[in-house]
Coordinates of all heavy atoms in Angstrom, one line a residue:
H1 N 5.9 -28.5 11.9 CA 4.7 -27.8 11.2 C 5.2 -26.4 10.8 O 5.6 -25.6 11.7 CB 3.6 -27.6 12.2 CG 3.0 -29.0 12.6 ND1 1.8 -29.4 12.2 CD2 3.5 -29.9 13.4 CE1 1.6 -30.6 12.7 NE2 2.6 -30.9 13.5
T2 N 5.2 -26.1 9.5 CA 5.8 -24.9 9.1 C 4.8 -23.7 8.8 O 5.2 -22.6 8.6 CB 6.6 -25.1 7.7 OG1 5.6 -25.5 6.7 CG2 7.7 -26.2 7.9
G3 N 3.6 -24.0 8.9 CA 2.6 -23.0 8.7 C 2.3 -22.7 7.3 O 1.5 -21.8 7.0
G4 N 2.9 -23.3 6.4 CA 2.6 -23.1 4.9 C 3.7 -23.7 4.0 O 4.8 -23.9 4.5
E5 N 3.3 -23.9 2.8 CA 4.2 -24.6 1.9 C 5.4 -23.7 1.5 O 6.5 -24.2 1.4 CB 3.5 -24.9 0.6 CG 2.6 -26.2 0.8 CD 2.2 -26.7 -0.5 OE1 3.0 -26.8 -1.4 OE2 1.0 -27.1 -0.6
D6 N 5.2 -22.4 1.4 CA 6.4 -21.5 1.1 C 7.4 -21.6 2.2 O 8.6 -21.7 1.9 CB 5.9 -20.1 0.9 CG 5.1 -19.9 -0.4 OD1 5.1 -20.8 -1.3 OD2 4.3 -18.9 -0.5
V7 N 7.0 -21.4 3.4 CA 7.9 -21.5 4.5 C 8.5 -22.9 4.6 O 9.7 -23.1 4.8 CB 7.3 -21.1 5.9 CG1 8.2 -21.4 7.1 CG2 6.9 -19.7 5.9
G8 N 7.7 -23.9 4.4 CA 8.1 -25.3 4.5 C 9.2 -25.6 3.5 O 10.2 -26.2 3.8
R9 N 9.0 -25.2 2.2 CA 10.0 -25.4 1.2 C 11.2 -24.7 1.5 O 12.3 -25.2 1.3 CB 9.4 -25.0 -0.2 CG 10.4 -25.3 -1.3 CD 9.9 -25.0 -2.7 NE 8.8 -25.9 -3.0 CZ 8.9 -27.2 -3.4 NH1 10.1 -27.7 -3.5 NH2 7.9 -27.9 -3.8
D10 N 11.1 -23.4 2.0 CA 12.3 -22.6 2.3 C 13.1 -23.3 3.4 O 14.3 -23.4 3.4 CB 11.8 -21.2 2.7 CG 12.9 -20.2 2.7 OD1 13.8 -20.3 1.9 OD2 12.9 -19.4 3.6
L11 N 12.4 -23.7 4.5 CA 13.1 -24.4 5.6 C 13.7 -25.7 5.2 O 14.8 -26.0 5.5 CB 12.1 -24.6 6.8 CG 12.7 -25.3 8.0 CD1 13.9 -24.5 8.6 CD2 11.6 -25.5 9.1
Y12 N 13.0 -26.5 4.4 CA 13.5 -27.7 3.9 C 14.8 -27.5 3.1 O 15.8 -28.1 3.3 CB 12.4 -28.4 2.9 CG 12.9 -29.6 2.3 CD1 12.9 -30.9 2.9 CD2 13.5 -29.6 1.0 CE1 13.4 -32.0 2.3 CE2 13.9 -30.7 0.3 CZ 13.9 -31.9 1.0 OH 14.4 -33.0 0.4
D13 N 14.8 -26.5 2.2 CA 16.0 -26.2 1.4 C 17.1 -25.8 2.3 O 18.3 -26.2 2.1 CB 15.7 -25.1 0.4 CG 14.8 -25.6 -0.8 OD1 14.7 -26.8 -1.0 OD2 14.2 -24.7 -1.5
W14 N 16.8 -25.0 3.3 CA 17.8 -24.5 4.3 C 18.4 -25.7 5.0 O 19.6 -25.8 5.1 CB 17.1 -23.6 5.3 CG 18.0 -23.1 6.4 CD1 18.4 -23.7 7.5 CD2 18.8 -21.9 6.4 NE1 19.2 -22.9 8.3 CE2 19.5 -21.8 7.6 CE3 18.9 -20.8 5.5 CZ2 20.3 -20.7 7.9 CZ3 19.7 -19.7 5.8 CH2 20.4 -19.7 7.0
L15 N 17.6 -26.6 5.5 CA 18.1 -27.7 6.3 C 18.9 -28.7 5.4 O 20.0 -29.2 5.8 CB 17.0 -28.5 6.9 CG 16.2 -27.7 8.0 CD1 15.0 -28.5 8.6 CD2 17.2 -27.3 9.2
V16 N 18.4 -29.0 4.2 CA 19.2 -30.0 3.4 C 20.4 -29.4 2.8 O 21.3 -30.2 2.3 CB 18.3 -30.7 2.3 CG1 17.1 -31.4 2.9 CG2 17.8 -29.6 1.3
N17 N 20.6 -28.1 2.8 CA 21.8 -27.5 2.4 C 22.8 -27.2 3.5 O 23.8 -26.5 3.3 CB 21.5 -26.3 1.5 CG 21.0 -26.6 0.2 OD1 21.7 -27.3 -0.6 ND2 19.7 -26.3 -0.1
D18 N 22.4 -27.6 4.7 CA 23.3 -27.4 5.9 C 24.0 -28.7 6.1 O 23.5 -29.7 6.6 CB 22.4 -27.0 7.1 CG 23.2 -26.7 8.3 OD1 24.3 -27.3 8.5 OD2 22.8 -25.9 9.1
A19 N 25.3 -28.7 5.9 CA 26.1 -29.9 6.0 C 26.1 -30.5 7.3 O 26.1 -31.7 7.5 CB 27.6 -29.6 5.5
E20 N 26.0 -29.7 8.4 CA 26.0 -30.2 9.8 C 24.7 -30.9 10.0 O 24.7 -31.9 10.8 CB 26.2 -29.0 10.8 CG 27.5 -28.4 10.7 CD 28.6 -29.3 11.1 OE1 28.5 -30.1 12.1 OE2 29.7 -29.3 10.5
V21 N 23.6 -30.5 9.4 CA 22.3 -31.2 9.6 C 22.2 -32.5 8.8 O 21.9 -33.5 9.4 CB 21.2 -30.2 9.3 CG1 19.8 -31.0 9.3 CG2 21.1 -29.0 10.2
V22 N 22.5 -32.4 7.5 CA 22.3 -33.6 6.7 C 23.3 -34.7 6.9 O 23.1 -35.8 6.4 CB 22.2 -33.2 5.2 CG1 21.1 -32.3 4.9 CG2 23.5 -32.6 4.7
R23 N 24.3 -34.4 7.6 CA 25.3 -35.5 7.9 C 24.6 -36.6 8.7 O 24.9 -37.7 8.5 CB 26.5 -34.9 8.7 CG 27.5 -35.9 9.1 CD 28.7 -35.4 9.8 NE 28.3 -34.4 10.8 CZ 29.1 -33.4 11.1 NH1 30.2 -33.2 10.5 NH2 28.7 -32.6 12.1
D24 N 23.7 -36.2 9.6 CA 23.1 -37.2 10.5 C 21.5 -37.2 10.5 O 20.9 -38.2 10.8 CB 23.5 -37.0 12.0 CG 25.0 -37.2 12.2 OD1 25.5 -38.3 11.7 OD2 25.7 -36.4 12.8
V25 N 20.9 -36.0 10.2 CA 19.5 -35.9 10.3 C 18.8 -36.2 9.0 O 19.3 -35.7 8.0 CB 19.1 -34.5 10.8 CG1 17.6 -34.3 10.8 CG2 19.7 -34.1 12.1
R26 N 17.8 -37.0 9.0 CA 17.0 -37.3 7.8 C 15.9 -36.4 7.7 O 15.0 -36.3 8.6 CB 16.6 -38.8 7.8 CG 15.9 -39.2 6.5 CD 15.6 -40.6 6.5 NE 14.7 -40.9 5.4 CZ 13.6 -41.7 5.6 NH1 13.5 -42.4 6.7 NH2 12.8 -41.9 4.6
V27 N 15.8 -35.6 6.7 CA 14.8 -34.5 6.5 C 13.9 -34.9 5.3 O 14.5 -35.0 4.2 CB 15.4 -33.1 6.3 CG1 14.3 -32.1 6.1 CG2 16.4 -32.8 7.4
T28 N 12.6 -35.1 5.4 CA 11.7 -35.3 4.3 C 10.5 -34.5 4.4 O 10.1 -34.2 5.6 CB 11.3 -36.8 4.2 OG1 10.7 -37.2 5.5 CG2 12.6 -37.7 4.0
A29 N 9.9 -34.2 3.3 CA 8.6 -33.5 3.3 C 7.5 -34.6 3.6 O 7.6 -35.7 3.1 CB 8.3 -32.9 2.0
A30 N 6.6 -34.3 4.5 CA 5.6 -35.3 4.9 C 4.5 -35.5 3.9 O 3.7 -36.5 4.0 CB 5.0 -34.8 6.2
G31 N 4.4 -34.7 2.8 CA 3.4 -34.9 1.8 C 2.0 -34.5 2.2 O 1.1 -35.0 1.6
H32 N 1.9 -33.7 3.2 CA 0.6 -33.2 3.7 C 0.3 -31.9 3.1 O 1.1 -31.0 3.1 CB 0.6 -33.2 5.2 CG -0.7 -32.6 5.7 ND1 -0.9 -31.3 6.0 CD2 -1.9 -33.2 6.1 CE1 -2.1 -31.1 6.5 NE2 -2.7 -32.2 6.5
T33 N -0.9 -31.7 2.6 CA -1.4 -30.4 2.2 C -2.8 -30.2 2.8 O -3.4 -31.1 3.2 CB -1.5 -30.2 0.6 OG1 -2.3 -31.2 0.1 CG2 -0.1 -30.3 0.0
S34 N -3.2 -28.9 2.9 CA -4.5 -28.6 3.4 C -5.6 -29.2 2.6 O -5.5 -29.3 1.3 CB -4.7 -27.1 3.5 OG -3.8 -26.5 4.4
E35 N -6.6 -29.7 3.2 CA -7.7 -30.3 2.5 C -8.3 -29.4 1.5 O -8.5 -28.2 1.8 CB -8.8 -30.8 3.5 CG -9.8 -31.7 2.8 CD -10.7 -32.4 3.8 OE1 -10.2 -32.7 4.9 OE2 -11.9 -32.6 3.5
G36 N -8.5 -29.9 0.3 CA -9.1 -29.0 -0.8 C -8.1 -28.2 -1.5 O -8.5 -27.4 -2.3
T37 N -6.9 -28.3 -1.2 CA -5.9 -27.6 -2.0 C -4.9 -28.5 -2.6 O -4.7 -29.6 -2.3 CB -5.1 -26.6 -1.0 OG1 -4.3 -27.4 -0.1 CG2 -6.0 -25.7 -0.3
M38 N -4.2 -27.9 -3.7 CA -3.2 -28.7 -4.3 C -1.9 -28.1 -3.8 O -1.7 -26.9 -3.6 CB -3.3 -28.6 -5.8 CG -4.5 -29.2 -6.4 SD -4.7 -29.1 -8.2 CE -3.2 -30.0 -8.7
G39 N -0.9 -28.9 -3.6 CA 0.4 -28.4 -3.2 C 1.4 -29.5 -3.2 O 1.2 -30.7 -3.6
S40 N 2.6 -29.1 -2.8 CA 3.8 -30.1 -2.9 C 4.0 -30.8 -1.6 O 4.9 -31.6 -1.5 CB 5.0 -29.3 -3.3 OG 5.3 -28.3 -2.4
G41 N 3.3 -30.5 -0.5 CA 3.4 -31.2 0.7 C 4.5 -30.7 1.7 O 5.0 -31.5 2.5
F42 N 4.9 -29.5 1.6 CA 5.9 -29.0 2.5 C 5.4 -28.3 3.7 O 6.2 -27.7 4.5 CB 6.9 -28.0 1.7 CG 7.8 -28.8 0.8 CD1 7.5 -29.1 -0.5 CD2 9.1 -29.2 1.3 CE1 8.4 -29.7 -1.3 CE2 10.0 -29.8 0.5 CZ 9.6 -30.1 -0.8
E43 N 4.1 -28.4 4.0 CA 3.6 -27.9 5.3 C 4.1 -28.6 6.5 O 4.3 -28.0 7.6 CB 2.1 -27.9 5.3 CG 1.4 -27.0 4.3 CD -0.1 -27.2 4.3 OE1 -0.6 -27.8 5.2 OE2 -0.7 -26.7 3.3
L44 N 4.4 -29.9 6.3 CA 5.0 -30.7 7.4 C 6.3 -31.3 6.9 O 6.4 -31.8 5.8 CB 4.0 -31.9 7.7 CG 2.6 -31.5 8.2 CD1 1.8 -32.8 8.4 CD2 2.7 -30.7 9.5
L45 N 7.3 -31.3 7.8 CA 8.5 -31.9 7.5 C 8.8 -33.0 8.6 O 8.5 -32.8 9.8 CB 9.7 -30.9 7.6 CG 9.6 -29.7 6.6 CD1 10.8 -28.8 6.9 CD2 9.6 -30.2 5.2
N46 N 9.2 -34.2 8.1 CA 9.6 -35.2 9.1 C 11.1 -35.2 9.3 O 11.8 -35.2 8.3 CB 9.1 -36.6 8.5 CG 7.6 -36.7 8.6 OD1 7.0 -36.2 9.5 ND2 7.1 -37.4 7.6
L47 N 11.5 -35.3 10.5 CA 12.9 -35.3 10.8 C 13.2 -36.5 11.7 O 12.5 -36.8 12.7 CB 13.3 -34.0 11.6 CG 12.9 -32.7 11.0 CD1 13.2 -31.6 11.9 CD2 13.6 -32.5 9.7

């Protein structure tokens, strides 16, 4: 739980650009946004 899409997208980008992480860890955006808002779904990341 990232607390918001901006942090979520930033953390997602950080993790998928870390060679040590992406070698083994699968990182995906969970596709969840707060009810009543439009967004890209980066509030939750699945690992």
Side-chain angles (χ1 to χ4, degrees):
H1 298 251
T2 63
E5 285 194 42
D6 291 340
V7 172
R9 182 174 294 281
D10 194 39
L11 178 60
Y12 174 85
D13 289 343
W14 177 274
L15 293 175
V16 299
N17 287 299
D18 185 328
E20 294 296 316
V21 172
V22 296
R23 179 178 43 212
D24 295 314
V25 178
R26 184 169 165 226
V27 182
T28 58
H32 175 269
T33 56
S34 299
E35 192 169 326
T37 64
M38 293 180 64
S40 58
F42 282 89
E43 291 176 15
L44 301 175
L45 302 178
N46 289 325
L47 307 174

